[in-house]
PDB file of all heavy atoms in Angstrom:
ATOM      1  N   VAL A  20     -20.139   3.289  12.178  1.00 94.00           N
ATOM      2  CA  VAL A  20     -20.563   2.381  11.128  1.00 94.00           C
ATOM      3  C   VAL A  20     -20.916   3.176   9.887  1.00 94.00           C
ATOM      4  O   VAL A  20     -21.664   4.158   9.952  1.00 94.00           O
ATOM      5  CB  VAL A  20     -21.757   1.537  11.581  1.00 94.00           C
ATOM      6  CG1 VAL A  20     -22.278   0.688  10.425  1.00 94.00           C
ATOM      7  CG2 VAL A  20     -21.359   0.660  12.751  1.00 94.00           C
ATOM      8  N   ASN A  45     -17.737  -1.827  13.447  1.00 92.00           N
ATOM      9  CA  ASN A  45     -18.216  -3.039  14.102  1.00 92.00           C
ATOM     10  C   ASN A  45     -19.732  -3.025  14.239  1.00 92.00           C
ATOM     11  O   ASN A  45     -20.320  -2.034  14.666  1.00 92.00           O
ATOM     12  CB  ASN A  45     -17.576  -3.173  15.481  1.00 92.00           C
ATOM     13  CG  ASN A  45     -16.084  -3.407  15.408  1.00 92.00           C
ATOM     14  OD1 ASN A  45     -15.593  -4.095  14.527  1.00 92.00           O
ATOM     15  ND2 ASN A  45     -15.363  -2.826  16.356  1.00 92.00           N
ATOM     16  N   ILE A  46     -20.340  -4.136  13.876  1.00 92.00           N
ATOM     17  CA  ILE A  46     -21.781  -4.276  14.010  1.00 92.00           C
ATOM     18  C   ILE A  46     -22.102  -5.521  14.814  1.00 92.00           C
ATOM     19  O   ILE A  46     -21.335  -6.486  14.838  1.00 92.00           O
ATOM     20  CB  ILE A  46     -22.491  -4.327  12.644  1.00 92.00           C
ATOM     21  CG1 ILE A  46     -22.031  -5.549  11.841  1.00 92.00           C
ATOM     22  CG2 ILE A  46     -22.244  -3.040  11.870  1.00 92.00           C
ATOM     23  CD1 ILE A  46     -22.845  -5.787  10.587  1.00 92.00           C
ATOM     24  N   PHE A  47     -23.257  -5.482  15.446  1.00 89.00           N
ATOM     25  CA  PHE A  47     -23.737  -6.646  16.176  1.00 89.00           C
ATOM     26  C   PHE A  47     -24.487  -7.597  15.252  1.00 89.00           C
ATOM     27  O   PHE A  47     -24.348  -8.812  15.362  1.00 89.00           O
ATOM     28  CB  PHE A  47     -24.624  -6.205  17.343  1.00 89.00           C
ATOM     29  CG  PHE A  47     -25.219  -7.351  18.105  1.00 89.00           C
ATOM     30  CD1 PHE A  47     -24.457  -8.082  18.988  1.00 89.00           C
ATOM     31  CD2 PHE A  47     -26.556  -7.694  17.944  1.00 89.00           C
ATOM     32  CE1 PHE A  47     -24.990  -9.137  19.700  1.00 89.00           C
ATOM     33  CE2 PHE A  47     -27.105  -8.749  18.654  1.00 89.00           C
ATOM     34  CZ  PHE A  47     -26.318  -9.478  19.533  1.00 89.00           C
ATOM     35  N   SER A  48     -25.272  -7.033  14.366  1.00 85.00           N
ATOM     36  CA  SER A  48     -26.037  -7.867  13.460  1.00 85.00           C
ATOM     37  C   SER A  48     -26.428  -7.068  12.228  1.00 85.00           C
ATOM     38  O   SER A  48     -26.489  -5.842  12.250  1.00 85.00           O
ATOM     39  CB  SER A  48     -27.295  -8.420  14.129  1.00 85.00           C
ATOM     40  OG  SER A  48     -28.188  -7.381  14.485  1.00 85.00           O
ATOM     41  N   LEU A 117     -28.862  -2.189  10.233  1.00 94.00           N
ATOM     42  CA  LEU A 117     -27.766  -2.687  11.046  1.00 94.00           C
ATOM     43  C   LEU A 117     -27.960  -2.332  12.513  1.00 94.00           C
ATOM     44  O   LEU A 117     -28.565  -1.310  12.839  1.00 94.00           O
ATOM     45  CB  LEU A 117     -26.436  -2.088  10.594  1.00 94.00           C
ATOM     46  CG  LEU A 117     -26.019  -2.269   9.141  1.00 94.00           C
ATOM     47  CD1 LEU A 117     -24.774  -1.449   8.863  1.00 94.00           C
ATOM     48  CD2 LEU A 117     -25.775  -3.737   8.834  1.00 94.00           C
ATOM     49  N   VAL A 118     -27.419  -3.179  13.355  1.00 93.00           N
ATOM     50  CA  VAL A 118     -27.269  -2.867  14.767  1.00 93.00           C
ATOM     51  C   VAL A 118     -25.779  -2.686  15.013  1.00 93.00           C
ATOM     52  O   VAL A 118     -25.015  -3.653  14.941  1.00 93.00           O
ATOM     53  CB  VAL A 118     -27.831  -3.968  15.670  1.00 93.00           C
ATOM     54  CG1 VAL A 118     -27.658  -3.574  17.136  1.00 93.00           C
ATOM     55  CG2 VAL A 118     -29.292  -4.235  15.353  1.00 93.00           C
ATOM     56  N   ALA A 119     -25.367  -1.479  15.266  1.00 92.00           N
ATOM     57  CA  ALA A 119     -23.965  -1.210  15.555  1.00 92.00           C
ATOM     58  C   ALA A 119     -23.581  -1.849  16.881  1.00 92.00           C
ATOM     59  O   ALA A 119     -24.402  -1.965  17.793  1.00 92.00           O
ATOM     60  CB  ALA A 119     -23.694   0.291  15.588  1.00 92.00           C
ATOM     61  N   ALA A 120     -22.341  -2.254  16.974  1.00 92.00           N
ATOM     62  CA  ALA A 120     -21.878  -2.927  18.185  1.00 92.00           C
ATOM     63  C   ALA A 120     -21.997  -2.033  19.414  1.00 92.00           C
ATOM     64  O   ALA A 120     -22.145  -2.539  20.532  1.00 92.00           O
ATOM     65  CB  ALA A 120     -20.429  -3.381  18.007  1.00 92.00           C
ATOM     66  N   THR A 121     -21.928  -0.740  19.221  1.00 91.00           N
ATOM     67  CA  THR A 121     -22.006   0.202  20.330  1.00 91.00           C
ATOM     68  C   THR A 121     -23.409   0.750  20.562  1.00 91.00           C
ATOM     69  O   THR A 121     -23.589   1.607  21.433  1.00 91.00           O
ATOM     70  CB  THR A 121     -21.053   1.380  20.090  1.00 91.00           C
ATOM     71  OG1 THR A 121     -21.366   2.016  18.856  1.00 91.00           O
ATOM     72  CG2 THR A 121     -19.609   0.901  20.058  1.00 91.00           C
ATOM     73  N   SER A 122     -24.381   0.261  19.821  1.00 90.00           N
ATOM     74  CA  SER A 122     -25.736   0.778  19.908  1.00 90.00           C
ATOM     75  C   SER A 122     -26.680  -0.259  20.493  1.00 90.00           C
ATOM     76  O   SER A 122     -26.429  -1.465  20.431  1.00 90.00           O
ATOM     77  CB  SER A 122     -26.241   1.208  18.532  1.00 90.00           C
ATOM     78  OG  SER A 122     -25.454   2.253  17.996  1.00 90.00           O
ATOM     79  N   VAL A 123     -27.777   0.226  21.031  1.00 90.00           N
ATOM     80  CA  VAL A 123     -28.810  -0.646  21.573  1.00 90.00           C
ATOM     81  C   VAL A 123     -29.797  -1.048  20.480  1.00 90.00           C
ATOM     82  O   VAL A 123     -30.248  -2.194  20.431  1.00 90.00           O
ATOM     83  CB  VAL A 123     -29.545   0.042  22.731  1.00 90.00           C
ATOM     84  CG1 VAL A 123     -30.677  -0.844  23.247  1.00 90.00           C
ATOM     85  CG2 VAL A 123     -28.577   0.374  23.859  1.00 90.00           C
ATOM     86  N   PHE A 124     -30.120  -0.108  19.609  1.00 93.00           N
ATOM     87  CA  PHE A 124     -31.126  -0.326  18.589  1.00 93.00           C
ATOM     88  C   PHE A 124     -30.524  -0.302  17.193  1.00 93.00           C
ATOM     89  O   PHE A 124     -29.536   0.385  16.939  1.00 93.00           O
ATOM     90  CB  PHE A 124     -32.226   0.742  18.681  1.00 93.00           C
ATOM     91  CG  PHE A 124     -32.891   0.812  20.014  1.00 93.00           C
ATOM     92  CD1 PHE A 124     -32.595   1.832  20.899  1.00 93.00           C
ATOM     93  CD2 PHE A 124     -33.811  -0.151  20.395  1.00 93.00           C
ATOM     94  CE1 PHE A 124     -33.212   1.902  22.136  1.00 93.00           C
ATOM     95  CE2 PHE A 124     -34.434  -0.097  21.630  1.00 93.00           C
ATOM     96  CZ  PHE A 124     -34.131   0.933  22.500  1.00 93.00           C
ATOM     97  N   GLY A 125     -31.148  -1.048  16.315  1.00 94.00           N
ATOM     98  CA  GLY A 125     -30.772  -0.995  14.927  1.00 94.00           C
ATOM     99  C   GLY A 125     -31.431   0.179  14.229  1.00 94.00           C
ATOM    100  O   GLY A 125     -32.363   0.793  14.736  1.00 94.00           O
ATOM    101  N   ARG A 126     -30.910   0.497  13.056  1.00 95.00           N
ATOM    102  CA  ARG A 126     -31.486   1.556  12.263  1.00 95.00           C
ATOM    103  C   ARG A 126     -31.057   1.404  10.807  1.00 95.00           C
ATOM    104  O   ARG A 126     -30.198   0.592  10.485  1.00 95.00           O
ATOM    105  CB  ARG A 126     -31.077   2.937  12.783  1.00 95.00           C
ATOM    106  CG  ARG A 126     -29.612   3.309  12.580  1.00 95.00           C
ATOM    107  CD  ARG A 126     -29.384   4.758  12.939  1.00 95.00           C
ATOM    108  NE  ARG A 126     -28.005   5.191  12.776  1.00 95.00           N
ATOM    109  CZ  ARG A 126     -27.495   5.665  11.657  1.00 95.00           C
ATOM    110  NH1 ARG A 126     -28.240   5.752  10.558  1.00 95.00           N
ATOM    111  NH2 ARG A 126     -26.231   6.062  11.613  1.00 95.00           N
ATOM    112  N   TYR A 128     -29.173   2.402   7.471  1.00 96.00           N
ATOM    113  CA  TYR A 128     -27.949   3.047   7.027  1.00 96.00           C
ATOM    114  C   TYR A 128     -27.969   3.148   5.516  1.00 96.00           C
ATOM    115  O   TYR A 128     -28.447   2.240   4.825  1.00 96.00           O
ATOM    116  CB  TYR A 128     -26.708   2.259   7.457  1.00 96.00           C
ATOM    117  CG  TYR A 128     -26.402   2.321   8.926  1.00 96.00           C
ATOM    118  CD1 TYR A 128     -27.056   1.493   9.825  1.00 96.00           C
ATOM    119  CD2 TYR A 128     -25.450   3.210   9.424  1.00 96.00           C
ATOM    120  CE1 TYR A 128     -26.778   1.546  11.181  1.00 96.00           C
ATOM    121  CE2 TYR A 128     -25.160   3.264  10.779  1.00 96.00           C
ATOM    122  CZ  TYR A 128     -25.824   2.432  11.651  1.00 96.00           C
ATOM    123  OH  TYR A 128     -25.543   2.488  12.995  1.00 96.00           O
TER     124      TYR A 128
END
Side-chain angles (χ1 to χ4, degrees):
V20 174
N45 294 323
I46 62 171
F47 177 76
S48 64
L117 304 172
V118 181
T121 57
S122 298
V123 177
F124 303 104
R126 70 171 180 88
Y128 288 82

